[in-house]
Every structure is written in C-alpha cells, then in structure tokens.
Amino acid sequence: RFGPVVQKNYHNNRDMRAVKCSGFGDVEDVLEVVEDFPKPVLDPNKGGYVLLETRACALAPGDVRVVSGKTKEFQAPKRFPFVPGGDVSGVVVGVCNDETRLKVGDEVVSRFHMKPRGGLAQYTLAKAEQTALKPQSVDFNKAAALASSGVAALALAKRVKQGDRVLVIGGSGGVGSSLVQLARHFGASYVAATSSKVDVVRDRLRADDVIDYREQNVWGLERYKDIKFDVVFDLVGGQWRHASTDRDRNILKSGRDGGRFFVVTPDTAWFEIHTVMHIIQVFLAPALWRAFSSLINRNLPRYRFLLVLPDELEWKHELFSLVDQRVLDVVLDPASPFPFTTAGVRAAYNLQASRHCLGKAVVSLSPN
C-alpha cells in the first residue's frame, strides 16, 4: 500500500536511511525518505548521550506543528534539511565513556530533549537521562508509543483521588487511551469518556460509559447532572466554556464540592505561535484568568492548565512496570505500524494531523 521498504546495511557507512524535512509546509511537499542522510556521530568524551539504532518512532501533535511551521520561531531546527520525530524505541549501539547505566545492546525507549527531532532515522542520538530500558512485554512499536503520551497520562492519572468519578474528554487519543485505564488504577470509581471509537474505549479500555461526541453533547446529559463528576480531563481543548456555565445543572462539581478541571492544550489545539505576545494570548492569559476566577469563585470547578511531561526517569520506570504488569494496554491505531517509506511516513503524519488517530501513530524502522 505504501511502497516497498528497501533495507540496506549502513553500519560501515557515514550515511543512513532517514526522513528528510526540507522546509516548512505540507507533508506531501517537505517530507521524504532518503538513503543518504548523514549519520549522527557520538562523541564518547562529551557525555550525556547514547547512539541508538532506531526501531520505531511514535508521532505526537508536536511533530506535526514543527513541520507545519506554526511555531517556527520557537521550535524551528537550526538548519534545513533536518530529521523530524522525537519519541523512539531502539537498541543502544554506542555509549559515552562516562555512561554507567546503559550499555551497548540494551533495548530502550527515549523521547526528545527540548525539541522533537532526529527520531525518524535509522540512527539517532538520544539524551541518556531521557532513555530507559523498554518494557519486556511489548514490542518496539508499542514501546515507542509510551515515550511521551504514556508518561503524560500517568502524570494526569495521579491527580485522581480515591473514589473520584472521572470524565476524559478525548478518551481514544494517544494520552486519553492510557488515561482512561490509569484513572481506574489510581482510584477512580467511575470512568466515562468521549470518543467516536465507542467500542474500543468501552470494551478494550474498560470505560464505564462512552459518549460519541458526534451524536451527543456530554455536557447536556441529564444522567450526569444529578450524579456529577469530580474530575474532568480536557485533552482536546475548548471545554472550559461548558464547565464554567450553567453551574446549577452542570455535570462537574463545583470547587466547593471538590470539582476539578484539568486541561493540557489551549482552546484551539492546532494553535499558531510566532511571538511572545502569542504565547501570552494563547497560553498564559486564559490559563491565569481561569485559574484565578476558579480560586475566588468556589461555585466554579477548580481550573488547572497542566504541562505534563516530567523528565525524571522514575516516571518511565513506573509506567513501564504498569505495562509489564498488564495494568496498561498500549493502543496503536489500526493503521500502525506505518512502513518506513515516503508514502508511509506522510500517511502517518496526515493521520496524526487529522486528530482522529486511535491511540498512537507509529512508524516502524525495524529491519525485520
């Protein structure tokens, strides 16, 4: 469907197979798989990095934004062409002289450092402090899917209190598909979610209720106006206007009664930012005003805008342990894994950009 994958041996070569991004724009115009991209070089004396032979790369909204140029003043590469992609799994093939935790041959998961790039290539340099041994119970494709989205879901799930009734807006995406499961593990007594993938979220992720947003507005459901939610996680953006109005008959408890509203994205998910003023307008001003309003008006649920991507390795260790214990089922979109071809990579990016990806979109770089 996406064309043949031609595998070559680059171990004794300065070049490698990689996705080359030639500029900002539509993926059909700027992304292509090439055979002669310069292989990254590990300086064994510099410290802090490991060289990976990449086996899989999972996409996230940030990967789409970087290629689009909508945040180029803050996330642009130093030069073109560059290799996009930030969340990877693979095998360690080189370590620095002072590295004591990781060794050649380790199967690992790593995520981008600062900006998502370098992952869609046969080899990538990864920050050692962002790199952890992969879970033994899943393959490289599912392991890559955990690098950012899984950790973010874990950080959110830890906001759940014992006995909470939880609503996840966007329950079948990269973060949502994990959060629906982890919320229960961390004490939720009832978990509902909005999604167009009703069967998957109900049967596979074991949500108590799934609301198809194409057919029903969850904020208007009478069954939740009497038995309200303690927590709403907004993973799609723009839901605070519902949570903060019609408070007498709202489905989310007031702050006075312990209601909390957590959001991880601005009101417009595919935001465009080119100046510091844009950052203030899109992120800071709405978040600060809503947080302040909910603090002084206890009739509102407590508002929190969260940037949840902790750096500490302990988060990955805990998450991967939950995967190996079968607490968390890693969800990949049925179209995944995409092949490491120009057509395959473009299709993966288009799926991610559509905002209708089930779980994660992953490109497989495995030689097998």
Side-chain angles (χ1 to χ4, degrees):
R1 179 164 59 127
F2 297 107
V5 177
V6 179
Q7 297 293 344
K8 295 184 178 182
N9 184 350
Y10 296 89
H11 284 288
N12 299 312
N13 201 305
R14 294 180 180 178
D15 295 333
M16 64 176 180
R17 186 179 180 87
V19 174
K20 181 177 77 171
C21 182
S22 57
F24 298 123
D26 188 278
V27 296
E28 306 294 333
D29 300 324
V30 301
L31 294 185
E32 66 173 326
V33 174
V34 298
E35 307 289 342
D36 59 351
F37 203 90
K39 180 179 174 181
V41 177
L42 177 70
D43 182 348
N45 298 312
K46 186 176 180 180
Y49 287 87
V50 293
L51 180 64
L52 306 182
E53 183 177 11
T54 314
R55 298 297 176 84
C57 181
L59 299 185
D63 296 302
V64 176
R65 270 196 302 275
V66 168
V67 172
S68 73
K70 290 184 176 181
T71 55
K72 61 185 179 182
E73 284 78 9
F74 300 94
Q75 290 186 302
K78 293 181 179 179
R79 63 186 66 87
F80 287 103
F82 78 101
V83 176
D87 292 349
V88 299
S89 62
V91 179
V92 177
V93 294
V95 298
C96 293
N97 293 333
D98 61 354
E99 179 60 46
T100 58
R101 184 174 56 85
L102 299 169
K103 64 182 185 302
V104 171
D106 282 345
E107 297 181 348
V108 297
V109 176
S110 189
R111 75 164 178 87
F112 64 89
H113 176 66
M114 300 298 289
K115 301 175 182 179
R117 67 186 55 144
L120 280 166
Q122 189 180 13
Y123 294 95
T124 186
L125 281 176
K127 266 282 194 180
E129 64 186 19
Q130 296 289 351
T131 304
L133 297 178
K134 87 171 186 66
Q136 294 300 304
S137 59
V138 296
D139 62 16
F140 283 106
N141 296 320
K142 288 189 174 183
L146 294 165
S148 291
S149 296
V151 173
L154 177 61
L156 289 171
K158 290 198 171 189
R159 301 276 180 166
V160 174
K161 298 178 181 178
Q162 194 68 35
D164 274 349
R165 290 170 56 83
V166 173
L167 172 62
V168 180
I169 307 290
S172 56
V175 176
S177 58
S178 293
L179 178 56
V180 168
Q181 302 173 73
L182 293 173
R184 177 88 65 192
H185 177 73
F186 283 97
S189 62
Y190 186 93
V191 180
T194 64
S195 173
S196 61
K197 316 293 194 304
V198 174
D199 292 342
V200 174
V201 179
R202 181 188 59 227
D203 300 336
R204 182 174 173 182
L205 307 184
R206 302 183 300 280
D208 295 293
D209 188 20
V210 186
I211 300 92
D212 189 336
Y213 61 84
R214 300 170 301 180
E215 300 176 0
Q216 293 179 298
N217 178 6
V218 66
W219 296 97
L221 294 179
E222 291 295 328
R223 64 180 179 270
Y224 291 131
K225 292 184 178 182
D226 294 322
I227 308 176
K228 301 177 185 291
F229 291 103
D230 299 282
V231 184
V232 169
F233 292 104
D234 178 9
L235 307 182
V236 302
Q239 300 300 303
W240 176 248
R241 61 190 177 93
H242 299 293
S244 60
T245 57
D246 190 21
R247 287 306 308 158
D248 291 338
R249 295 294 291 164
N250 204 282
I251 66 173
L252 176 59
K253 289 180 180 179
S254 68
R256 184 180 296 105
D257 295 326
R260 291 104 69 205
F261 180 93
F262 299 110
V263 62
V264 299
T265 187
D267 291 343
T268 302
W270 290 126
F271 53 85
E272 191 161 348
I273 290 179
H274 298 291
T275 66
V276 173
M277 183 56 67
H278 286 161
I279 294 178
I280 295 172
Q281 293 172 339
V282 174
F283 283 93
L284 294 180
L288 290 174
W289 172 248
R290 292 166 184 175
F292 176 72
S293 298
S294 71
L295 182 63
I296 62 174
N297 182 357
R298 299 293 303 281
N299 193 43
L300 293 172
R302 189 69 185 275
Y303 176 96
R304 299 282 180 84
F305 187 101
L306 301 176
L307 296 174
V308 283
L309 200 52
D311 289 330
E312 295 83 3
L313 278 174
E314 288 73 17
W315 288 90
K316 289 188 180 70
H317 295 158
E318 181 176 357
L319 179 70
F320 297 171
S321 176
L322 293 173
V323 172
D324 283 336
Q325 294 171 43
R326 304 297 196 271
V327 171
L328 179 62
D329 179 11
V330 185
V331 179
L332 303 185
D333 189 90
S336 294
F338 290 86
F340 191 31
T341 63
T342 296
V345 170
R346 289 175 178 175
Y349 266 81
N350 285 329
L351 175 61
Q352 182 65 57
S354 74
R355 301 190 71 198
H356 294 294
C357 184
L358 172 60
K360 297 290 288 184
V362 175
V363 176
S364 174
L365 287 77
S366 174
N368 298 319

